[in-house]
Amino acid sequence: MYELLKTEWREEPVKAIRKEGYVPGVVYGKGIESVNFKVPSIAIRKFLHHSGKVFEVEVAGRGKHLVSLDNVQWDHMGDRMLHVSFHKISANEKTTVTLPIHFEGEAAGKKEGGVVHHVLHEVEVTGLPGDIPEFISVDVTALGMHGHFSLKDIPCPKGLEWAHDVEANVVSCHPPKVEVVAEETTDVTEEVVAEVESEEQEAA
């Protein structure tokens, strides 16, 4: 039912683990002692890229846990994963997670020359782990010029509740901005010329 990430139990220093091409991590939660693990960098990056926010983690020799992704630490360049932390959850208890928003369709306003602005890129939801999808899908086909969708306008997936401000703007469509710099420059130039001519007339 849930995707499975296989890891190894760790007790070596973090620096040594990273030099070997592993990413250190931890599973923590209510009622359990934190479990430290390590996983190959390539494997964890690939897994998190394709998996949802709720999955199982198996730590060799330390059991299997249902978890949600809590945090990923990167280096200052954003290229190297330094650490991951997973929060142990219960299949029978509601949990809150942050899901990415995927926009689908072409907005009606865009066909009229409008520009679509994706204001919200992720949203928090609350529900049972088994009901939580990989992402929230938002169809923008009906979005017209000068229009917008708030979170309250988006149907929440079955079994879930928004754990986010429902008044938050999700996506909008507006006419493109018109550049008026050239006109302003012309006006300024005309004003300067007029002032110079006036000064010359007074001097004469």
Side-chain angles (χ1 to χ4, degrees):
M1 181 178 179
Y2 300 101
E3 293 187 75
L4 177 64
L5 173 66
K6 293 186 176 182
T7 68
E8 304 172 39
W9 182 65
R10 70 174 171 91
E11 55 182 349
E12 311 98 310
V14 170
K15 289 184 178 180
I17 291 174
R18 290 174 181 151
K19 286 183 179 180
E20 296 173 358
Y22 285 84
V23 174
V26 62
V27 176
Y28 74 95
K30 183 175 65 176
I32 70 164
E33 184 176 348
S34 297
V35 180
N36 295 320
F37 64 85
K38 63 180 180 180
V39 58
S41 177
I42 295 178
I44 185 64
R45 294 184 68 148
K46 182 177 180 180
F47 182 86
L48 294 181
H49 180 72
H50 294 289
S51 72
K53 291 298 183 72
V54 175
F55 47 89
E56 287 184 317
V57 172
E58 182 177 359
V59 182
R62 295 296 188 278
K64 187 185 300 184
H65 307 277
L66 179 64
V67 301
S68 63
L69 176 62
D70 177 57
N71 186 50
V72 178
Q73 295 179 14
W74 299 85
D75 65 5
H76 67 285
M77 297 294 292
D79 298 324
R80 185 185 181 194
M81 191 179 295
L82 300 178
H83 188 273
V84 293
S85 58
F86 302 142
H87 182 218
K88 182 176 174 61
I89 58 179
S90 170
N92 300 318
E93 293 183 6
K94 289 186 176 182
T95 186
T96 299
V97 300
T98 301
L99 298 178
I101 296 176
H102 288 191
F103 295 95
E104 300 179 352
E106 183 176 8
K110 184 177 181 180
K111 297 179 180 179
E112 300 174 13
V115 178
V116 176
H117 299 279
H118 299 151
V119 183
L120 201 64
H121 296 278
E122 56 184 23
V123 62
E124 288 188 325
V125 299
T126 298
L128 293 175
D131 293 330
I132 296 176
E134 294 184 16
F135 57 85
I136 297 297
S137 177
V138 175
D139 186 355
V140 300
T141 305
L143 181 63
M145 187 75 80
H146 299 290
H148 76 278
F149 291 161
S150 298
L151 188 58
K152 64 183 179 183
D153 301 318
I154 311 299
C156 194
K158 184 178 180 181
L160 302 181
E161 300 174 354
W162 297 127
H164 203 105
D165 179 9
V166 295
E167 299 295 334
N169 189 9
V170 177
V171 59
S172 62
C173 182
H174 300 286
K177 292 182 179 180
V178 178
E179 294 290 341
V180 293
V181 176
E183 295 181 4
E184 293 177 352
T185 303
T186 301
D187 292 340
V188 172
T189 302
E190 291 176 351
E191 290 179 4
V192 172
V193 172
E195 290 179 2
V196 171
E197 290 178 348
S198 177
E199 292 177 356
E200 290 177 347
Q201 291 175 0
E202 291 179 359

